[in-house]
Amino acid sequence: MPALLDIHGLDVVVAGRTLVRDLSLAVQPGERVAVLGQNGAGKSLTLHTLAGLRPPARGTISVGGVELRLLGHRERALRLGLLLQEQDDPFPTSAMETALMGRHARLGIWQWETAEDHALARNALAAMDLAGMEQRLCATLSGGERRRLGVAALLVQDPELWLLDEPLNHLDPRHQFTVLGALQRLAGEGKAVMASLHDPILAARHFDSALLLHGDGRWQHGPVSTLLDAQTLAGLYGVDFEAYQGSSGAIMLPVPQLPGTRLDAAPHDR
């Protein structure tokens, strides 16, 4: 079986600056890849490039064994889904109408949604803890509710490859686990997930591998169990990390130090 996502020799460039250079990796069915890096390191631009929203400066991208550039818009929507970091609502649509938009790639010309499509949308909304909000206008939803609605629309779309730009943004801990649980179920069904995150703890606990973007062309990819150590994370984020042993295993946390502050300074020195 071909990789659901195969990247070879990919360069991501913006305003003459190479953020990612010669990226090559394969994402297999059932794999969850966390994309980590500082602000401006190219996480969003890389996901946009992999989704076909912008051309790569160099390299090739294949989805399910077919080059992305050869896929029409409809076929792309059937194979991959993208959750943008920010989503606008130019028209006054309800949560149900927004969820049903994920089904459009599977409908024929002039074909209306069926009762089955509506049932899929209701189930997806319920899975994201949005049951009872079907008729709420998107403009009235909170940031977290709107984020979960975006995931619900992708559940209705049901692509093989999920590209998610900060899917946990605006979410409280309970709803973070709601989304992470859904991603785990998708992986169990053979889907592949690539998601940008700002929390290396969640990446280590809920993903199989990590892609680290340093913003200067350098990148690292490997299993979270070996890649996400204190030294590597310190190099990635520019702050020190320490390992803490919890009841469910070791976690890496940034050392709480403000710029220009010495942790061992006496109280009158602070």
Side-chain angles (χ1 to χ4, degrees):
M1 179 179 295
L4 285 185
L5 177 64
D6 196 357
I7 309 165
H8 181 70
L10 187 73
D11 286 0
V12 178
V13 179
V14 61
R17 177 186 171 196
T18 301
L19 299 176
V20 181
R21 179 181 292 108
D22 199 26
L23 175 63
S24 296
L25 63 89
V27 182
Q28 303 297 333
E31 186 176 358
R32 292 165 294 170
V33 183
V35 184
L36 303 176
Q38 293 189 37
N39 298 147
K43 300 185 298 296
S44 294
L45 287 175
T46 298
L47 290 174
H48 293 177
T49 303
L50 297 179
L53 296 187
R54 62 191 310 275
R58 187 178 69 88
T60 60
I61 303 164
S62 297
V63 179
V66 181
E67 279 199 48
L68 182 63
R69 63 183 181 84
L70 301 178
L71 296 174
H73 294 298
R74 180 184 177 90
E75 188 63 25
R76 286 189 189 186
L78 293 174
R79 289 175 179 257
L80 65 87
L82 172 67
L83 180 69
L84 295 170
Q85 185 177 139
E86 300 292 340
Q87 293 177 289
D88 297 325
D89 300 304
F91 303 105
T93 57
S94 68
M96 173 61 82
E97 290 168 333
T98 300
L100 282 170
M101 289 181 187
R103 206 64 184 164
H104 287 177
R106 301 183 181 278
L107 300 178
I109 299 176
W110 306 117
Q111 181 181 354
W112 291 94
E113 299 93 350
T114 65
E116 180 182 358
D117 294 325
H118 280 262
L120 288 171
R122 282 192 297 272
N123 291 339
L125 291 171
M128 288 296 106
D129 199 21
L130 295 171
M133 300 186 186
E134 291 84 355
Q135 302 310 315
R136 283 270 300 274
L137 291 178
C138 292
T140 70
L141 299 176
S142 71
E145 289 167 342
R146 187 64 185 85
R147 203 75 189 130
R148 285 165 13 234
L149 176 57
V151 177
L154 285 179
L155 287 172
V156 177
Q157 182 181 338
D158 193 28
E160 298 173 341
L161 172 65
W162 287 54
L163 303 174
L164 309 175
D165 195 357
E166 297 189 24
L168 307 182
N169 194 21
H170 302 304
L171 299 188
D172 58 71
R174 181 169 75 88
H175 287 113
Q176 286 182 348
F177 292 132
T178 296
V179 172
L180 290 168
L183 300 184
Q184 182 177 6
R185 290 191 295 274
L186 290 167
E189 297 169 1
K191 307 290 199 302
V193 177
M194 179 176 276
S196 65
L197 303 174
H198 282 297
D199 191 334
I201 298 175
L202 293 177
R205 291 289 178 84
H206 299 277
F207 287 77
D208 306 299
S209 63
L211 172 63
L212 311 185
L213 303 181
H214 292 266
D216 57 2
R218 292 178 299 135
W219 56 273
Q220 296 168 272
H221 176 250
V224 294
S225 58
T226 57
L227 184 59
L228 299 185
D229 58 22
Q231 181 177 356
T232 302
L233 290 174
L236 180 68
Y237 290 110
V239 296
D240 290 335
F241 276 75
E242 291 180 345
Y244 292 84
Q245 187 66 39
S247 59
S248 57
I251 59 174
M252 296 293 170
L253 292 176
V255 176
Q257 182 176 2
L258 296 176
T261 301
R262 297 197 336 267
L263 293 179
D264 58 350
H268 63 272
D269 291 332
R270 295 181 180 174

